[in-house]
Amino acid sequence: MPAIVLVGAQWGDEGKGKITDLLADQMDMVVRYQGGDNAGHTVVDGDQEFRFHLIPSGILYPHITPVIANGVVVNPKVLIEEIEGLEAKEISTEKLLVSCDAHLVMPYHLILDGARELKLGKAKIGTTRKGIGPAYADKAARTGLRVQDMLDMKIFREKLETALVEKNAILTKLYGLDPLDAEEIIENYGGYAKELKGFIADTSLVINKALDEDKNVFFEGAQGTLLDLDHGTYPFVTSSSPVAGGVCVGAGIGPKRIDKVLGVVKAYVTRVGSGPFPTELNNAVGDALRESGGEYGTTTGRPRRCGWFDAVILRYAARINGLTGVVVTKIDVLSQFSSLKICMGYKYKGKVYKDFPSHQTIIHKCVPIYEELEGWAESLADITEYEDLPEAAKKYLARIEELGGVPIEMVSVGPKRRQIIMMR
Ligand code: GDP
Ligand code: IMO
Ligand code: MG
C-alpha cells in the first residue's frame, strides 16, 4: 500500500492530525499537498500537545520525511517559527522538504484577507485571516511569488515590485490603508530565504522516487471536503482543493499512483466560520458537544459550531473523494447523551434529498431528516477493542457505515495515540 491519502470528510478539524501521526508509524513520507497555515492539526504525544499548521503531522517520527509540496501556500515566517518551535523541543526538522514551486503567502495577502472580510461585514466568510484566499488568487492570476523566487533576490525584487503596483493601489484606494514598502519585504524575505534554503527541493521528484522504490507515502489533507473550492459550500470554503483529487495536482503525482483514500469524520459535525450547516444545533446539545469535545479552533481559538452526524455529507465525501475507508473520531464525546441523532436526508419544499444538494438555496434552507438511536452512558476512553464497545455504540457505528456506504477502518476514542480501535 504505498500511497495513502487522508482527507477531512466534513468541514475540517475531524482529527486528521491524530490519525496522520498514528499511521506515520508505518509510513516513510508524510506530504501536505494543499492549504497553508490556516490548518491546525493537533497531535498528542505523551504529555506533549503539538499543533501543526504547515509542517506535516508525521514529523515527530525520525524515520519520516515530511514534505510540503507545491500545492501548499507557504508563509515563510510561520514556517520558520514552527521549525524553531520543534527544534526547541528537540524534535529534528532536518529531513523537512519544501517545494520550490509552492507559492508564498506575502504580507499583502494577510492584510487583504482581513480587509476583505471587514468589508463583507455580515456576509463575511469567517476566514482564518492567514492570507490563504488572496495567495491562491494570485497563483491563479499568475502574479504570485514562489518559494524558488526567494533563491534569487533579483527575481524576487522584480516580481514583488510588479505585484506591489497593483496591491498598493488596492490597499490605499479601495481600503484606505497604507501602502507596503518593497525594501522592507525584500529584507524580511531575504532573511527567511537564508533560513529555509536548505529545505527547498523539487518535491514532486522526491515523492515519485519514493513511490518508485515502493516506499509508503502518506498524503495528509488539510481542511475538509465541504471546504473544497470546487466541491464545498461555495463561497463559504477555503481556496484550495482538500479533496483526494487535489493530491495529484498539489503533489505532482499521477492519479493511478493512489492506492487508498481514507476519510476522517467526527462522530458529530463541527464547522468554524460562516456558511450553511444543516444539522447545526444552536441549543444546549450543541453547547454540550462544544464543551466536552473541546471544540475551539486550533488556529484561531474561535468556538466551533456543532451539530449531529450527517450521513448525507459522508455519502457526498465518499463520492467526491472515492473513499475506500472511513475513520470515525471523537465518538467518546457522545457518551453523555441518552439518545443520538443521525441525519439521513434533507427536506426542502416537500422534497427529500438523499444526495448532497448542488443548489446552494437548498443547502441553506433544508431541514434535516433524523433517525434517532439509543445512546450509551459508559466512557469509551479506555476501549481499544471493538468487542468491548457498548452495544449502542456498535449500532451507532454500524449505521454510519451503512448510510455512508464505506467501511469504517478505525474508531478514535480520545486524543492520545493509544485511544484507537482498529476495525480491520
Ligand atoms: P484536524 O485539523 O483534523 O487535525 O483536527 P484538530 O486537531 O483541529 O481538532 C481535533 C481535536 O480533537 C484535537 O484537539 C485532537 O487532539 C482531538 N481529538 C482527536 N481525536 C479525538 C478523539 O477521538 N476523541 C477526543 N475526545 N478528542 C480527539
Ligand atoms: P484543518 O486542517 C476548519 C475555514 C475557515 C473559514 C474557511 C475559509 O485544521 O481542518 P481560509 O482561512 O481557509 O480562507 O478560511 O475555511 N477553515 C477551516 N476550518 N479547519 C481548518 O483546517 C480550516 N481551514 C480553514 O474557518 O470558514
Ligand atoms: Mg484543525
Side-chain angles (χ1 to χ4, degrees), residues 12-14 16 39-42 298-299 304:
D13 301 327
E14 298 91 348
K16 298 177 293 293
H41 295 183
T42 316
T298 310
T299 300
R304 294 175 182 150

Side-chain angles (χ1 to χ4, degrees), residues 39-358:
H41 295 183
T42 316
V43 172
V44 180
D45 177 14
D47 299 337
Q48 291 198 83
E49 187 181 90
F50 295 88
R51 291 173 172 203
F52 298 112
H53 299 290
L54 273 166
I55 292 185
S57 300
I59 192 138
L60 300 179
Y61 296 88
H63 71 275
I64 289 285
T65 303
V67 179
I68 297 175
N70 57 281
V72 176
V73 287
V74 177
N75 181 331
K77 183 170 184 274
V78 173
L79 180 57
I80 291 165
E81 281 165 8
E82 223 173 318
I83 291 169
E84 286 173 351
L86 286 167
E87 291 289 347
K89 289 181 176 171
E90 294 188 348
I91 288 150
S92 171
T93 54
E94 209 184 9
K95 286 186 167 176
L96 177 70
L97 298 175
V98 182
S99 169
C100 53
D101 293 336
H103 277 248
L104 292 169
V105 174
M106 303 296 291
Y108 42 83
H109 293 141
L110 293 156
I111 299 171
L112 286 171
D113 197 355
R116 282 177 188 164
E117 284 284 274
L118 209 64
K119 215 164 193 98
L120 282 169
K122 271 172 88 177
K124 72 173 186 213
I125 294 165
T127 73
T128 58
R129 304 200 177 197
K130 302 291 181 189
I132 306 300
Y136 277 113
D138 278 357
K139 176 177 175 176
R142 295 156 295 177
T143 52
L145 276 80
R146 296 187 292 170
V147 166
Q148 60 179 285
D149 295 328
M150 291 200 301
L151 295 175
D152 184 336
M153 286 318 274
K154 195 166 158 261
I155 295 178
F156 186 93
R157 173 183 287 277
E158 271 172 28
K159 292 193 176 181
L160 176 68
E161 283 174 349
T162 307
L164 278 183
V165 172
E166 189 187 63
K167 299 303 173 200
N168 277 341
I170 296 172
L171 289 175
T172 55
K173 296 196 178 115
L174 187 62
Y175 295 112
L177 298 168
D178 290 337
L180 292 177
D181 174 31
E183 297 311 320
E184 193 183 328
I185 299 175
I186 289 164
E187 197 185 321
N188 288 339
Y189 278 64
Y192 304 149
K194 286 196 185 101
E195 295 194 50
L196 292 177
K197 208 172 168 184
F199 298 106
I200 301 172
D202 180 349
T203 55
S204 162
L205 186 66
V206 175
I207 296 165
N208 278 279
K209 253 190 190 161
L211 289 169
D212 290 344
E213 288 165 10
D214 234 17
K215 297 254 169 69
N216 295 323
V217 181
F218 193 86
F219 296 90
E220 177 186 14
Q223 290 81 50
T225 304
L226 274 293
L227 286 173
D228 184 270
L229 182 59
D230 284 80
H231 302 287
T233 46
Y234 191 90
F236 303 101
V237 292
T238 191
S239 299
S240 68
S241 304
V243 298
V247 170
C248 298
V249 181
I253 65 159
K256 287 176 100 172
R257 303 214 82 151
I258 297 170
D259 298 282
K260 225 173 138 175
V261 183
L262 288 174
V264 190
V265 287
K266 268 180 202 168
Y268 48 96
V269 180
T270 65
R271 171 163 208 174
V272 210
S274 324
F277 179 177
T279 65
E280 183 173 16
L281 296 163
N282 282 311
N283 58 20
V285 179
D287 293 345
L289 285 171
R290 185 176 312 106
E291 291 318 311
S292 48
E295 298 297 354
Y296 291 88
T298 310
T299 300
T300 57
R302 290 177 292 175
R304 294 175 182 150
R305 300 155 65 194
C306 299
W308 291 123
F309 188 84
D310 189 337
V312 180
I313 287 179
L314 176 54
R315 271 199 301 277
Y316 182 63
R319 159 160 56 105
I320 297 293
N321 296 292
L323 297 184
T324 59
V326 164
V327 181
V328 178
T329 61
K330 303 190 94 159
I331 193 166
D332 53 299
V333 175
L334 297 181
S335 286
Q336 58 189 312
F337 302 108
S338 55
S339 81
L340 301 164
K341 286 181 183 168
I342 291 182
C343 171
M344 307 159 59
Y346 305 145
K347 206 166 186 179
Y348 178 69
K349 288 196 170 168
K351 201 175 160 202
V352 172
Y353 294 83
K354 291 264 165 128
D355 289 314
F356 195 70
S358 57

